[in-house]
Amino acid sequence: MLLRVFFFLLCSFDVHCKKLSAFLICIISNQSVVLLGTRFRPLSFEVPKPLFPVAGVPILQHHIEACAKVPNMKEILLIGFYQPNEELTRFMCNTQQELKISIRYLQEYSALGTGGGIYHFRDQIVSGSPEAFFVLNADVCSAFPLTEMLSFQKEHGEPNSFVILGTTANRTQSLNYGCIVENEETREVLHYVEKPSTFVSDIINCGVYLFTPDIFQHIGTVFQKNQQDMLLYPYDGEEPTNGWHRAEAIRLEQDIFTALAGQGKLYVYKTLSFWSQIKSAGSAIYASRLYLNQYHTTHPERLASNKEGGPKISGNVYIHPTANIDPTATLGPNVSIGTGVTIGAGVRVRESIILHGATLQDHCCVLNSVVGWDSTIGKWARVEGTPSDPNPNDPYAKIDSETLFRDGKLTPSITILGCNVTIPSEVIILNSIVLPHKDLNRGFKNQIIL
């Protein structure tokens, strides 16, 4: 099952009470990519993308942990188009117990877009009389400065104004994001363009929003217009571009922010902390590096350290307690070891994610790779990929969202092994993607092994 990449957080507040009430909504559906999700394959074959482990915990858990730090959080709502499965249910139960917070999943009847999802469930959202709420995309990693956004909202604009979290990108990469033109004094959003064809601004949308319930009036206006268009242009039997489910399919970015810009209702809070999208498996390794580094201040207990009788740790490394690692192995920097992983003597792992149940036999080497669930890498084998990190010489560079192919050839990227893949001893797998349940008998370079 492919769970969509968007996650929305609703956090509601009542500043007139001494005790604040709060909600969190996670929307994990997106109309534009509902049938695809190909950039995260083959990993998304086994687990919904928002539940893929980054720095040792599911992507969504980073969002939820940040939200749980907001005072008096009351409830978390996950909204998505997909049938709830055992993995999602288990994740919600475990996270509820760990963070002592209520989590519910609300299923859309259709993929409703980034605005349509929260509008469809608006009655449940406003039932607690929230004063404001946050909305977060699931395909981003960030320090999530939510309390800072709250303070910013109180200092700028009217009480019912909305806030977008923004950051700075270089001029070229800004074309791949929503671009914000601001009033430098008031921080009001004067102009908003989603993925412009020419340069508009180097301030980009981070996919983290602070709304008040007034946002539903603006979404409702778009919904009514869509209904009118439905009557004027009825469904013709071809591509279902109209109809009730299309009237309710609304995009916050294109349909709402573009219209609100310049009206004194929309402001941008620019973060200087880390931020990145998680579109592909390669970006998951980069996000893992960012979160592992953040653990020094947020979760130091999750970082492994050099101990007598243990493996050599270099840099930031996460090791699940159930992993069995030979003391002669060397791990790091930026390594995440999942549950039940077995790592043999002399193994070297760097810039990689090793998933549940994988076995790395003696003296193998894993660099810039994701090793899938229950996969095995033979003795003296080498599994290596090419990182797609941002330009270290450009402080505003973001990770590029590379296409799978370029000029008819597979784009060099990290190596990905799907679940239950067996790599024989003494072979090299370089810049390749191996689909699940493959038993290889030789080395590969720059290939997709189907």
Side-chain angles (χ1 to χ4, degrees):
M1 181 194 74
L2 295 179
L3 208 57
R4 290 279 57 81
V5 300
F6 283 93
F7 165 100
F8 285 87
L9 166 80
L10 172 80
C11 185
S12 67
F13 304 86
D14 181 2
V15 298
H16 301 297
C17 297
K18 292 183 179 180
K19 185 174 181 180
L20 304 181
S21 62
F23 295 89
L24 163 71
I25 291 186
C26 313
I27 296 183
I28 23 192
S29 64
N30 180 314
Q31 180 187 11
S32 63
V33 292
V34 69
L35 299 177
L36 300 177
T38 55
R39 281 181 289 184
F40 215 73
R41 294 178 182 174
L43 303 175
S44 55
F45 287 148
E46 308 302 322
V47 63
K49 178 180 171 182
L51 300 185
F52 181 82
V54 169
V57 301
I59 293 174
L60 284 186
Q61 187 165 333
H62 295 288
H63 297 67
I64 295 174
E65 287 176 349
C67 298
K69 295 179 181 178
V70 178
N72 299 302
M73 175 71 66
K74 181 180 180 182
E75 184 176 30
I76 294 172
L77 302 179
L78 305 174
I79 300 178
F81 172 52
Y82 300 91
Q83 291 285 342
N85 65 354
E86 180 181 352
E87 183 129 21
L88 178 60
T89 301
R90 183 168 58 250
F91 166 75
M92 291 192 298
C93 291
N94 292 340
T95 308
Q96 282 185 113
Q97 293 176 0
E98 179 180 349
L99 300 178
K100 303 297 187 290
I101 191 168
S102 173
I103 302 177
R104 287 190 293 145
Y105 177 66
L106 304 178
Q107 185 182 358
E108 297 171 308
Y109 67 90
S110 178
L112 300 178
T114 55
I118 59 174
Y119 186 71
H120 181 69
F121 293 106
R122 62 193 179 279
D123 289 341
Q124 297 200 42
I125 295 171
V126 301
S127 61
S129 300
E131 180 172 310
F133 59 90
F134 285 100
V135 175
L136 286 74
N137 285 340
D139 65 340
V140 299
C141 82
S142 172
F144 299 117
L146 304 183
T147 55
E148 292 87 342
M149 291 178 67
L150 281 170
S151 299
F152 174 87
Q153 197 263 356
K154 294 176 182 178
E155 297 170 359
H156 296 74
E158 299 298 324
N160 289 325
S161 61
F162 315 129
V163 179
I164 300 176
L165 180 66
T167 191
T168 304
N170 62 40
R171 291 176 64 97
T172 301
Q173 292 183 318
S174 67
L175 303 180
N176 299 320
Y177 303 91
C179 293
I180 300 167
V181 178
E182 66 165 352
N183 181 317
E184 294 185 359
E185 294 183 0
T186 65
R187 304 303 181 190
E188 179 190 351
V189 176
L190 302 177
H191 187 52
Y192 183 91
V193 183
E194 183 71 16
K195 296 182 180 179
S197 56
T198 58
F199 177 76
V200 172
S201 170
D202 59 1
I203 304 173
I204 62 171
N205 178 3
C206 291
V208 179
Y209 315 124
L210 174 58
F211 293 142
T212 68
D214 280 6
I215 192 67
F216 295 120
Q217 298 179 13
H218 300 282
I219 299 177
T221 300
V222 174
F223 172 65
Q224 292 172 5
K225 179 181 181 300
N226 290 348
Q227 281 189 312
Q228 293 174 357
D229 292 343
M230 175 190 67
L231 296 175
L232 293 174
Y233 307 101
Y235 175 52
D236 57 8
E238 297 180 359
E239 184 67 19
T241 57
N242 294 287
W244 167 261
H245 66 287
R246 296 298 301 172
E248 206 174 4
I250 300 169
R251 304 161 298 181
L252 284 173
E253 298 76 14
Q254 294 95 324
D255 298 329
I256 306 300
F257 295 161
T258 301
L260 286 177
Q263 296 187 12
K265 294 285 292 182
L266 193 61
Y267 293 79
V268 56
Y269 173 79
K270 291 189 291 186
T271 179
L272 299 178
S273 187
F274 72 89
W275 178 88
S276 181
Q277 284 189 320
I278 306 178
K279 293 293 188 182
S280 63
S283 58
I285 289 183
Y286 179 65
S288 182
R289 183 192 308 165
L290 298 176
Y291 278 133
L292 286 171
N293 188 61
Q294 187 191 32
Y295 282 171
H296 285 284
T297 55
T298 60
H299 294 283
E301 73 282 358
R302 291 179 181 174
L303 293 174
S305 58
N306 286 296
K307 298 180 180 178
E308 185 177 354
K312 180 180 179 181
I313 304 300
S314 174
N316 299 327
V317 175
Y318 169 86
I319 302 176
H320 194 274
T322 61
N324 181 18
I325 303 175
D326 191 277
T328 61
T330 301
L331 310 177
N334 185 21
V335 168
S336 177
I337 307 296
T339 59
V341 169
T342 300
I343 297 180
V347 170
R348 180 70 174 99
V349 184
R350 186 181 72 209
E351 297 285 340
S352 298
I353 297 174
I354 314 299
L355 297 171
H356 167 85
T359 299
L360 279 57
Q361 296 181 358
D362 297 352
H363 305 292
C364 70
C365 183
V366 180
L367 310 174
N368 300 298
S369 301
V370 176
V371 178
W373 301 266
D374 299 313
S375 291
T376 300
I377 299 178
K379 296 179 179 180
W380 297 101
R382 185 180 185 92
V383 176
E384 183 175 359
T386 299
S388 54
D389 295 345
N391 182 357
N393 299 315
D394 184 348
Y396 300 123
K398 307 302 177 187
I399 192 167
D400 287 319
S401 183
E402 291 282 0
T403 58
L404 194 59
F405 293 94
R406 185 193 304 155
D407 299 328
K409 298 180 180 180
L410 183 66
T411 304
S413 184
I414 70 163
T415 289
I416 306 171
L417 307 183
C419 76
N420 196 26
V421 169
T422 300
I423 305 298
S425 300
E426 302 180 16
V427 302
I428 297 176
I429 306 296
L430 179 64
N431 296 335
S432 296
I433 299 174
V434 184
L435 268 66
H437 310 293
K438 299 298 176 185
D439 191 349
L440 305 186
N441 55 16
R442 62 179 180 87
F444 290 90
K445 178 181 178 181
N446 299 330
Q447 294 190 43
I448 298 178
I449 296 96
L450 301 176

